[in-house]
């Protein structure tokens, strides 16, 4: 086995559960999710030299989601690309607990509300933060885009982080009292 195969095996062991869960959310069929997951890793095998190691998980999530949506568009027709064994323990992991779903939904709504507040109250901070974390831009690129100094872009991002953390802490105190 060469280094490339070892990397693929390592990624498979690290991310298979995450990718299976991601696909299962869409297709709600264990066997179809298994096939789509296998296909995602097969595609990674062909693109392993082009995907930076730090972005493999994100790449797999995006590809598996697209494959799942494609599967649904085709009416559930799918062909197996390669055989990879999954244990049945994933089936129980994939069935979500209703309480967990409720908690996730509430947390997602809270995050959305806090980020919305940041966007409304501090739009410059919000833009700097979104450019960094959503568009993967560095401070120099952000400064060029916004027409400011790079040091100011960095400060805006730091202040946005502190503001968001402070908002969460303040909201938790309100709920607890």
């Amino acid at each position: 086995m060469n280094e490339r195969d070892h990397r693929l095996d390592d990624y498979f062991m690290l991310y298979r559960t995450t990718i299976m869960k991601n696909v299962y959310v869409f297709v709600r069929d264990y066997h179809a999710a298994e096939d789509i997951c296998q296909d995602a890793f097969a595609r990674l095998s062909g693109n392993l030299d082009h995907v930076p190691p730090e972005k493999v998980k994100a790449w797999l999530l995006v590809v598996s989601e697209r494959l799942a949506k494609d599967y649904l568009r085709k009416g559930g027709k799918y062909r197996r690309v390669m055989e990879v064994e999954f244990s049945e323990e994933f089936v129980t992991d994939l069935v979500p607990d209703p309480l967990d779903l409720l908690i996730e939904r509430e947390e997602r709504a809270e995050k959305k509300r806090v980020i919305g507040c940041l966007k409304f109250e501090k739009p410059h901070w919000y833009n700097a933060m979104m450019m960094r974390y959503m568009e993967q831009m560095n401070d120099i690129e952000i400064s060029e885009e916004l027409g400011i100094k790079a040091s100011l872009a960095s400060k805006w991002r730091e202040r946005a982080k502190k503001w968001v953390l402070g908002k969460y802490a303040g909201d938790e105190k309100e709920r607890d009292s």
Side-chain angles (χ1 to χ4, degrees), residues 84-100:
V84 179
E85 288 299 317
F86 286 98
S87 67
E88 291 298 322
E89 72 189 34
F90 289 117
V91 175
T92 56
D93 290 343
L94 295 175
V95 178
D97 180 19
L99 183 58
D100 289 341

Side-chain angles (χ1 to χ4, degrees), residues 19-37:
I19 302 307
M20 279 288 292
K21 288 179 180 181
N22 183 52
V23 172
Y24 188 83
V25 166
F26 292 97
V27 299
R28 297 284 182 207
D29 176 354
Y30 173 79
H31 297 291
E34 187 177 58
D35 291 344
I36 293 168
C37 182

Side-chain angles (χ1 to χ4, degrees), residues 50-72:
H50 306 292
V51 180
E54 66 275 4
K55 297 196 181 204
V56 168
K57 182 178 179 182
W59 188 93
L60 283 166
L61 287 168
V62 169
V63 168
S64 64
E65 184 174 321
R66 288 181 181 159
L67 290 170
K69 289 177 180 177
D70 189 45
Y71 168 84
L72 294 172

Side-chain angles (χ1 to χ4, degrees), residues 1-175:
M1 222 193 242
N2 61 25
E3 179 191 341
R4 191 170 195 279
D5 292 336
H6 284 295
R7 284 189 306 164
L8 187 61
D9 288 343
D10 291 342
Y11 291 139
F12 180 76
M13 294 307 293
L14 279 172
Y15 304 128
R16 67 181 176 176
T17 305
T18 304
I19 302 307
M20 279 288 292
K21 288 179 180 181
N22 183 52
V23 172
Y24 188 83
V25 166
F26 292 97
V27 299
R28 297 284 182 207
D29 176 354
Y30 173 79
H31 297 291
E34 187 177 58
D35 291 344
I36 293 168
C37 182
Q38 291 173 9
D39 193 11
F41 279 98
R43 290 176 187 222
L44 176 62
S45 174
N47 290 294
L48 203 53
D49 297 331
H50 306 292
V51 180
E54 66 275 4
K55 297 196 181 204
V56 168
K57 182 178 179 182
W59 188 93
L60 283 166
L61 287 168
V62 169
V63 168
S64 64
E65 184 174 321
R66 288 181 181 159
L67 290 170
K69 289 177 180 177
D70 189 45
Y71 168 84
L72 294 172
R73 246 189 325 275
K74 292 179 180 177
K77 297 177 183 160
Y78 198 80
R79 71 175 179 78
R80 180 169 278 168
V81 174
M82 62 188 262
E83 291 291 326
V84 179
E85 288 299 317
F86 286 98
S87 67
E88 291 298 322
E89 72 189 34
F90 289 117
V91 175
T92 56
D93 290 343
L94 295 175
V95 178
D97 180 19
L99 183 58
D100 289 341
L101 290 174
L102 179 63
I103 291 169
E104 283 178 31
R105 183 177 294 152
E106 288 178 0
E107 287 174 352
R108 201 170 27 251
E110 178 66 12
K111 289 175 185 175
K112 193 174 184 180
R113 187 189 67 73
V114 169
I115 296 298
C117 287
L118 175 65
K119 183 178 182 179
F120 179 74
E121 292 180 27
K122 308 286 186 180
H124 297 304
W125 296 1
Y126 171 84
N127 289 335
M129 200 166 94
M130 289 297 116
M131 287 176 175
R132 173 67 180 130
Y133 296 109
M134 300 303 287
E135 299 177 30
Q136 303 296 316
M137 296 171 75
N138 61 34
D139 288 336
I140 295 170
E141 293 168 332
I142 293 170
S143 66
E144 290 172 359
E145 182 76 23
L146 297 177
I148 58 173
K149 292 181 179 179
S151 60
L152 183 57
S154 174
K155 285 289 183 194
W156 282 356
R157 283 189 308 98
E158 289 174 24
R159 290 174 183 164
K161 282 185 201 176
K162 287 179 184 175
W163 187 93
V164 167
L165 291 173
K167 192 75 165 167
Y168 277 124
D171 289 349
E172 279 186 22
K173 286 179 185 175
E174 286 179 19
R175 273 186 262 137

